[in-house]
Amino acid sequence: MSEKRVAVVTGASRGIGRGIAVALARPGYDIIVNYNASPGPAEETAAAVAARGGSAHLHRFNIADADSVKEAFKEIIKTYGRVDVLVNNAGIARDNLLVLMKASEWDEVLDTNLRGAFLCTQAVVKQMLRQRYGRIVNVTSVVGVIGNAGQCNYSAAKAGLIGFTRSIARELVSRNITVNAVAPGFIETDMTLALPETARQSLLQQIPAGRCGTPEDIAAAVVFLASEAAGYITGQVIHVNGGMFMG
Ligand code: NAP
């Protein structure tokens, strides 16, 4: 059983999730680095966590698959005896205009980005209730609040995640479990790499800070919400977007 604090970060093999896992890393912390399809990059995250003095443990599971989520958290809780922090970060995009969107594109995004967060949270919450301690941080998006043409599935999932956050924050706060969301703006990761240069330039013009965000910008907010010091903050959405939208 771990004497340390234990944090699970979903989708920590790359991008924002990697930034969060590394920023959470410190001596006295076990960081569970979840990934699905990218074992090599997940190893790189683990090495970066270790370089900061944290202990990293790789766990492959598909957050959209109820059985594998249940199995993974059962094993994590059995091994470490506790989970203090859950960051629901893993997410995908399958962009299309409404008129062209396939039901499969809708389902895939909702299953991963919204149902996946529900499954992971439900799998961990009984342990947090027993501990009388927990910090849950959900990574939503600016488009979950303002919408975005071509992303009705993604923005619906991210808006749903905000409703989920606010509801369970009310259910859990009396047991010293806080639930908050961080809403990134436009962040340089694999997810945004595919954008054509014209779309990138037009997005940049909407950011008063004059630059894209980095995974570290998002991780700083997550680390704060995941800390003991943030114990009186719950049900909130922190926007980290360089002034693109002020919620
Ligand atoms: P990314 O670079 O594409 O990385 C996505 C991560 O999610 C990867 O580690 C991937 O792991 C994991 N993942 C995807 N499906 C999974 C599944 N079914 N089970 C487990 N892990 C899964 O994306 P990102 O930009 O870092 O985005 C991270 C989060 O921030 C997402 O929720 C995204 O919606 C949100 N966000 C991003 C931006 C942005 O501008 N980048 C803006 C707002 C919000 P594998 O490769 O191992 O499958």
Side-chain angles (χ1 to χ4, degrees), residues 142 185-186 205-211 239-247:
V142 65
F186 180 42
Q205 278 166 14
Q206 296 170 46
I207 305 173
R211 67 166 177 91
H239 291 272
V240 185
N241 58 32
M244 189 178 176
F245 166 77
M246 302 184 191

Side-chain angles (χ1 to χ4, degrees), residues 76-113:
I76 289 165
I77 291 164
K78 193 169 151 215
T79 307
Y80 303 99
R82 57 185 302 120
V83 175
D84 300 282
V85 176
L86 169 67
V87 183
N88 285 310
N89 163 78
I92 57 168
R94 300 284 181 269
D95 298 349
N96 223 334
L97 293 170
L98 172 66
V99 288
L100 299 172
M101 184 162 290
K102 300 185 187 82
S104 60
E105 291 169 332
W106 175 272
D107 289 344
E108 219 183 317
V109 168
L110 270 287
D111 281 354
T112 304
N113 297 9

Side-chain angles (χ1 to χ4, degrees), residues 11-17 34-38 61-64 89-92 112-113 139-142 154 158 184-187 189-192:
S13 53
R14 298 181 280 116
I16 293 172
N34 159 253
Y35 67 99
N36 187 33
S38 312
F61 56 90
N62 176 358
I63 62 157
N89 163 78
I92 57 168
T112 304
N113 297 9
V139 180
T140 176
S141 168
V142 65
Y154 182 84
K158 293 300 187 182
F186 180 42
I187 313 301
T189 67
D190 292 348
M191 192 177 267
T192 47

Side-chain angles (χ1 to χ4, degrees), residues 40 43 52 82 91 117 123 130 154 156 158 181 185 193 196 200 243 245:
E43 296 274 4
R52 280 181 53 113
R82 57 185 302 120
R130 273 195 291 273
Y154 182 84
K158 293 300 187 182
L193 212 63
R200 175 179 295 270
F245 166 77

